[in-house]
Amino acid sequence: GWEGTSHLMNSLTKLSKSTLRSLTQLKSSKGQQQQGRFLLEGVTMVYEALQSKFPLLSVYTTEEFVTKARTAAAHPSTPALHTSISHAARSSFILEELQLTGTALRITDAKSLAHLSSVRTPPPDNILAVANLRPVPVFFAGQLTTTAQSRNSDTAQIYRDGSEH
């Protein structure tokens, strides 16, 4: 389970106007190019980014998402072999991975997230993530590497091009 979530439940924050403005700009390709970042929206997109080890800068979601994910972690279901991993299991995995990677999780209200959403009527347990357009170079053991393998750069391209604007 994700033990660190209890403090999150008390940290509901309304996004500041500057943060909201900055994130809203990421809905356009111009804003993405200017900031060098892009938005991933929804459980599936965020889940797949984490699965492929694509580095996320921050994640924004609602209390409802965290509550559902914690419930799923506490009561895991065993899906039949032919079924895909459930929405609840993906949500639970997302919280686990965010804790493991130290990625910032910001709990906000559904109204703020709806403002950022590209979907007309986003679900109340919506989730958004912010990622860099290009992997950031890092030094590791004296060698220049990137935070995402080259195959993940292709994945980022798919996310960027596949998102609705």
Side-chain angles (χ1 to χ4, degrees):
W2 208 64
E3 283 75 38
T5 56
S6 58
H7 73 281
L8 292 173
M9 301 312 287
N10 303 322
S11 63
L12 177 69
T13 53
K14 198 146 176 80
L15 296 178
S16 70
K17 285 184 179 176
S18 62
T19 300
L20 203 53
R21 191 178 314 113
S22 175
L23 293 172
T24 302
Q25 289 171 350
L26 296 179
K27 290 168 73 171
S28 73
S29 56
K30 181 182 175 186
Q32 291 171 9
Q33 293 301 321
Q34 285 176 339
Q35 293 187 35
R37 306 180 307 161
F38 68 103
L39 283 177
L40 294 161
E41 183 176 4
V43 171
T44 301
M45 295 282 271
V46 175
Y47 172 81
E48 289 177 2
L50 290 169
Q51 277 279 84
S52 67
K53 305 295 184 205
F54 193 85
L56 302 178
L57 301 173
S58 54
V59 175
Y60 298 85
T61 193
T62 60
E63 277 188 80
E64 188 169 344
F65 177 90
V66 174
T67 301
K68 285 183 177 181
R70 289 174 75 194
T71 302
H75 308 287
S77 60
T78 50
L81 292 175
H82 65 278
T83 62
S84 63
I85 185 167
S86 71
H87 180 85
R90 287 177 190 220
S91 301
S92 178
F93 172 86
I94 288 170
L95 288 187
E96 293 277 352
E97 282 297 301
L98 294 179
Q99 185 185 33
L100 289 172
T101 59
T103 305
L105 177 63
R106 312 251 188 262
I107 309 297
T108 190
D109 60 304
K111 187 177 179 182
S112 296
L113 280 184
H115 179 75
L116 297 170
S117 178
S118 59
V119 182
R120 183 161 293 162
T121 54
D125 62 342
N126 201 13
I127 184 166
L128 294 169
V130 179
N132 282 319
L133 283 174
R134 286 165 215 78
V136 181
V138 294
F139 285 99
F140 181 74
Q143 295 178 320
L144 182 65
T145 61
T146 60
T147 55
Q149 296 88 354
S150 58
R151 67 180 178 85
N152 291 344
S153 300
D154 299 337
T155 307
Q157 192 66 42
I158 293 165
Y159 289 150
R160 215 161 48 244
D161 296 342
S163 61
E164 297 176 26
H165 294 295

